[in-house]
Amino acid sequence: MAALHAAQSGYYDEALNQVRSLGEIANLLALFAVERNSLVDWTTASKKERLSKFGPSAVRKRLTQISAPMPVSAERYAALCEIVTHPTPDTRPQSYNPLGMPSVGQTFQPAGYLVTLNEIALPLFSIGYFASVLVTLPPEIRVRLRSEAHALAEAGGGVNLMEGYPVLTDDARRKLLNLLHEASEEDRPFLQKAILDMAQRASIAGTDSQSDSVGDLST
């Protein structure tokens, strides 16, 4: 699975971009499972009709209208768009660390890995469950698929895009970044590594307790 492979390689933004697609699939399957004629309409629609009636926003609107389960909410989908897909003035690539410091390339970040795993689990368990409803399967396979989907749902944690992940206080982050800015060019790489190492240790401690913030380290 591309999202999991990207996360294991340290590319969390790329992994979460794939999660956005999984979310679209999960919501579609939820609609098809509750409103079976929608599946027929989707398979026979023209491209224009499909984009109009079965685009991500239209599917969420229809799920709301018929009071059906919505695996990926509008808020979560918007976060996936804003944080990892579409560039904005606030875009900070690969910044899943207490300093909120962007990074380039493969950089292991505990919070980033946990966020990605939990965000993958959400649409994936929904896809598994609704697939068991829509697809004709032998009873034993259907039962196992639903059991695995339920286990995946239960395994999801609180470190995710909506509930947040450990970060330093604004004051602590500002002081550490000022210290880095004021360092000599010769000392700056070593100081940056030391600060990032400290931030990662704080991140590990924070994710273990599922805390929303890490204490002020500026004293």
Side-chain angles (χ1 to χ4, degrees), residues 3 7 12-13 15-16 19 111-121 159:
Y12 309 113
D13 284 354
L16 290 168
V19 170
Y113 190 57
L114 288 176
V115 165
T116 305
L117 288 182
N118 288 324
E119 291 296 332
I120 289 173
V159 182

Side-chain angles (χ1 to χ4, degrees), residues 35-46 49 53-54:
E35 195 175 65
R36 297 300 180 93
N37 62 303
S38 291
L39 176 57
V40 177
D41 293 342
W42 182 72
T43 57
T44 58
S46 66
E49 292 171 335
K53 294 181 61 177
F54 297 100

Side-chain angles (χ1 to χ4, degrees), residues 139-189:
E140 64 275 13
I141 295 179
R142 180 181 295 106
V143 169
R144 181 175 179 182
L145 185 55
R146 291 186 181 182
S147 175
E148 295 294 339
H150 180 74
L152 186 58
E154 290 293 318
V159 182
N160 54 59
L161 288 181
M162 303 307 295
E163 297 179 63
Y165 42 88
V167 294
L168 294 173
T169 63
D170 289 340
D171 187 56
R173 184 166 57 247
R174 183 168 53 253
K175 289 181 179 180
L176 285 171
L177 292 178
N178 284 341
L179 181 64
L180 181 63
H181 178 73
E182 293 169 1
S184 67
E185 291 187 11
E186 182 178 340
D187 293 338
R188 192 169 297 154

